[in-house]
Short mmCIF file of all heavy atoms in Angstrom, two decimals:
data_model
loop_
_atom_site.label_atom_id
_atom_site.label_comp_id
_atom_site.label_asym_id
_atom_site.label_seq_id
_atom_site.Cartn_x
_atom_site.Cartn_y
_atom_site.Cartn_z
N ILE A 22 91.34 93.05 -49.64
CA ILE A 22 91.10 91.61 -49.47
C ILE A 22 89.79 91.20 -50.15
O ILE A 22 89.74 90.17 -50.85
CB ILE A 22 91.06 91.26 -47.97
CG1 ILE A 22 92.45 91.47 -47.34
CG2 ILE A 22 90.61 89.82 -47.76
CD1 ILE A 22 92.49 91.26 -45.85
N LYS A 23 88.75 91.99 -50.01
CA LYS A 23 87.48 91.67 -50.65
C LYS A 23 87.60 91.72 -52.16
O LYS A 23 87.08 90.83 -52.87
CB LYS A 23 86.40 92.65 -50.19
CG LYS A 23 85.01 92.34 -50.74
CD LYS A 23 83.98 93.33 -50.23
CE LYS A 23 82.58 92.95 -50.74
NZ LYS A 23 82.52 92.87 -52.22
N LYS A 24 88.27 92.72 -52.69
CA LYS A 24 88.44 92.82 -54.14
C LYS A 24 89.29 91.68 -54.68
O LYS A 24 89.02 91.15 -55.76
CB LYS A 24 89.08 94.17 -54.48
CG LYS A 24 89.26 94.42 -55.97
CD LYS A 24 87.93 94.52 -56.70
CE LYS A 24 87.15 95.74 -56.29
NZ LYS A 24 85.95 95.95 -57.12
N TYR A 25 90.29 91.26 -53.92
CA TYR A 25 91.12 90.13 -54.34
C TYR A 25 90.30 88.84 -54.36
O TYR A 25 90.43 88.03 -55.29
CB TYR A 25 92.30 89.99 -53.38
CG TYR A 25 93.09 88.73 -53.55
CD1 TYR A 25 93.94 88.53 -54.65
CD2 TYR A 25 92.99 87.69 -52.62
CE1 TYR A 25 94.66 87.37 -54.80
CE2 TYR A 25 93.72 86.52 -52.76
CZ TYR A 25 94.55 86.36 -53.85
OH TYR A 25 95.25 85.20 -54.01
N GLN A 26 89.46 88.64 -53.37
CA GLN A 26 88.59 87.46 -53.35
C GLN A 26 87.62 87.48 -54.52
O GLN A 26 87.39 86.45 -55.16
CB GLN A 26 87.84 87.39 -52.01
CG GLN A 26 88.74 87.12 -50.82
CD GLN A 26 88.01 87.22 -49.50
OE1 GLN A 26 86.96 87.85 -49.40
NE2 GLN A 26 88.55 86.62 -48.45
N ASP A 27 87.04 88.65 -54.79
CA ASP A 27 86.11 88.76 -55.92
C ASP A 27 86.82 88.49 -57.24
O ASP A 27 86.26 87.84 -58.13
CB ASP A 27 85.47 90.15 -55.95
CG ASP A 27 84.57 90.40 -54.74
OD1 ASP A 27 84.18 89.41 -54.09
OD2 ASP A 27 84.28 91.57 -54.44
N HIS A 28 88.04 88.99 -57.38
CA HIS A 28 88.81 88.76 -58.60
C HIS A 28 89.10 87.28 -58.79
O HIS A 28 88.97 86.73 -59.89
CB HIS A 28 90.11 89.56 -58.54
CG HIS A 28 91.12 89.17 -59.58
ND1 HIS A 28 91.01 89.55 -60.90
CD2 HIS A 28 92.25 88.41 -59.49
CE1 HIS A 28 92.03 89.05 -61.58
NE2 HIS A 28 92.78 88.35 -60.75
N ASP A 29 89.50 86.61 -57.71
CA ASP A 29 89.81 85.19 -57.79
C ASP A 29 88.56 84.37 -58.11
O ASP A 29 88.60 83.45 -58.93
CB ASP A 29 90.42 84.74 -56.46
CG ASP A 29 90.96 83.32 -56.53
OD1 ASP A 29 91.84 83.06 -57.36
OD2 ASP A 29 90.50 82.47 -55.74
N LEU A 30 87.43 84.73 -57.48
CA LEU A 30 86.19 84.01 -57.74
C LEU A 30 85.71 84.23 -59.16
O LEU A 30 85.22 83.29 -59.82
CB LEU A 30 85.12 84.46 -56.74
CG LEU A 30 83.75 83.76 -56.83
CD1 LEU A 30 83.90 82.27 -56.60
CD2 LEU A 30 82.78 84.38 -55.84
N GLU A 31 85.84 85.46 -59.65
CA GLU A 31 85.41 85.75 -61.03
C GLU A 31 86.24 84.96 -62.04
O GLU A 31 85.70 84.45 -63.03
CB GLU A 31 85.55 87.24 -61.29
CG GLU A 31 85.12 87.66 -62.69
CD GLU A 31 85.30 89.14 -62.93
OE1 GLU A 31 85.75 89.84 -61.99
OE2 GLU A 31 85.00 89.61 -64.04
N LYS A 32 87.53 84.85 -61.78
CA LYS A 32 88.39 84.09 -62.69
C LYS A 32 87.99 82.62 -62.71
O LYS A 32 87.91 82.00 -63.79
CB LYS A 32 89.85 84.24 -62.24
CG LYS A 32 90.84 83.51 -63.14
CD LYS A 32 92.25 83.73 -62.63
CE LYS A 32 93.25 82.96 -63.49
NZ LYS A 32 94.63 83.14 -63.01
N LYS A 33 87.72 82.04 -61.54
CA LYS A 33 87.30 80.64 -61.49
C LYS A 33 85.95 80.44 -62.17
O LYS A 33 85.75 79.47 -62.91
CB LYS A 33 87.22 80.19 -60.03
CG LYS A 33 88.56 80.08 -59.34
CD LYS A 33 88.39 79.63 -57.90
CE LYS A 33 89.72 79.52 -57.19
NZ LYS A 33 89.58 79.11 -55.77
N ASN A 34 85.03 81.36 -61.93
CA ASN A 34 83.70 81.23 -62.54
C ASN A 34 83.77 81.33 -64.06
O ASN A 34 83.05 80.62 -64.77
CB ASN A 34 82.77 82.32 -62.00
CG ASN A 34 82.40 82.08 -60.54
OD1 ASN A 34 82.51 80.97 -60.04
ND2 ASN A 34 81.97 83.13 -59.86
N THR A 35 84.64 82.21 -64.56
CA THR A 35 84.77 82.34 -66.02
C THR A 35 85.29 81.06 -66.65
O THR A 35 84.77 80.57 -67.66
CB THR A 35 85.71 83.51 -66.34
OG1 THR A 35 85.18 84.71 -65.78
CG2 THR A 35 85.83 83.68 -67.85
N THR A 36 86.35 80.50 -66.03
CA THR A 36 86.92 79.26 -66.56
C THR A 36 85.93 78.11 -66.45
O THR A 36 85.77 77.31 -67.38
CB THR A 36 88.21 78.91 -65.80
OG1 THR A 36 89.11 80.02 -65.86
CG2 THR A 36 88.88 77.69 -66.40
N ALA A 37 85.22 78.01 -65.32
CA ALA A 37 84.25 76.93 -65.14
C ALA A 37 83.09 77.07 -66.11
O ALA A 37 82.60 76.07 -66.66
CB ALA A 37 83.74 76.93 -63.70
N ALA A 38 82.64 78.30 -66.36
CA ALA A 38 81.53 78.51 -67.29
C ALA A 38 81.91 78.08 -68.70
O ALA A 38 81.10 77.47 -69.41
CB ALA A 38 81.10 79.98 -67.27
N ARG A 39 83.13 78.39 -69.12
CA ARG A 39 83.57 77.99 -70.46
C ARG A 39 83.70 76.47 -70.56
O ARG A 39 83.37 75.87 -71.58
CB ARG A 39 84.90 78.65 -70.79
CG ARG A 39 84.80 80.16 -70.94
CD ARG A 39 86.11 80.77 -71.36
NE ARG A 39 85.98 82.21 -71.55
CZ ARG A 39 86.95 83.00 -71.97
NH1 ARG A 39 88.14 82.48 -72.23
NH2 ARG A 39 86.75 84.30 -72.11
N THR A 40 84.17 75.85 -69.47
CA THR A 40 84.29 74.40 -69.47
C THR A 40 82.92 73.74 -69.55
O THR A 40 82.71 72.79 -70.32
CB THR A 40 85.03 73.94 -68.21
OG1 THR A 40 86.29 74.59 -68.12
CG2 THR A 40 85.24 72.44 -68.23
N VAL A 41 81.99 74.22 -68.76
CA VAL A 41 80.64 73.66 -68.77
C VAL A 41 79.98 73.85 -70.13
O VAL A 41 79.28 72.95 -70.63
CB VAL A 41 79.78 74.31 -67.66
CG1 VAL A 41 78.33 73.91 -67.79
CG2 VAL A 41 80.32 73.91 -66.28
N GLU A 42 80.20 74.98 -70.77
CA GLU A 42 79.62 75.23 -72.09
C GLU A 42 80.18 74.25 -73.12
O GLU A 42 79.45 73.74 -73.97
CB GLU A 42 79.90 76.67 -72.51
CG GLU A 42 79.29 77.06 -73.85
CD GLU A 42 77.78 76.99 -73.85
OE1 GLU A 42 77.18 77.12 -72.76
OE2 GLU A 42 77.20 76.79 -74.94
N PHE A 43 81.48 73.98 -73.02
CA PHE A 43 82.08 73.03 -73.95
C PHE A 43 81.53 71.63 -73.72
O PHE A 43 81.20 70.91 -74.67
CB PHE A 43 83.61 73.04 -73.77
CG PHE A 43 84.33 72.13 -74.72
CD1 PHE A 43 84.62 72.54 -76.01
CD2 PHE A 43 84.72 70.86 -74.33
CE1 PHE A 43 85.29 71.71 -76.89
CE2 PHE A 43 85.38 70.01 -75.20
CZ PHE A 43 85.67 70.44 -76.48
N ILE A 44 81.41 71.21 -72.46
CA ILE A 44 80.86 69.89 -72.15
C ILE A 44 79.41 69.79 -72.60
O ILE A 44 78.97 68.76 -73.13
CB ILE A 44 80.99 69.61 -70.64
CG1 ILE A 44 82.47 69.52 -70.24
CG2 ILE A 44 80.25 68.34 -70.25
CD1 ILE A 44 82.69 69.33 -68.75
N ARG A 45 78.65 70.88 -72.42
CA ARG A 45 77.25 70.87 -72.84
C ARG A 45 77.14 70.68 -74.35
O ARG A 45 76.26 69.96 -74.83
CB ARG A 45 76.61 72.19 -72.41
CG ARG A 45 75.11 72.25 -72.66
CD ARG A 45 74.57 73.55 -72.09
NE ARG A 45 74.79 73.60 -70.65
CZ ARG A 45 74.66 74.71 -69.93
NH1 ARG A 45 74.33 75.84 -70.51
NH2 ARG A 45 74.87 74.67 -68.63
N THR A 46 78.04 71.29 -75.10
CA THR A 46 78.03 71.12 -76.56
C THR A 46 78.34 69.67 -76.94
O THR A 46 77.70 69.10 -77.84
CB THR A 46 79.06 72.06 -77.19
OG1 THR A 46 78.76 73.42 -76.82
CG2 THR A 46 79.04 71.95 -78.71
#
């Protein structure tokens, strides 16, 4: 359960980071 939560959070953070980088540009 902990690894699944970490995997889900990492996926969201990766997508959000790329979105924020694009908006910043």
Side-chain angles (χ1 to χ4, degrees):
I22 294 175
K23 183 179 183 304
K24 182 65 67 172
Y25 170 73
Q26 292 173 339
D27 294 342
H28 167 77
D29 188 59
L30 182 60
E31 180 182 0
K32 181 179 178 181
K33 291 179 180 179
N34 290 339
T35 301
T36 305
R39 293 184 178 182
T40 304
V41 171
E42 182 63 26
F43 182 83
I44 295 176
R45 186 175 299 166
T46 302

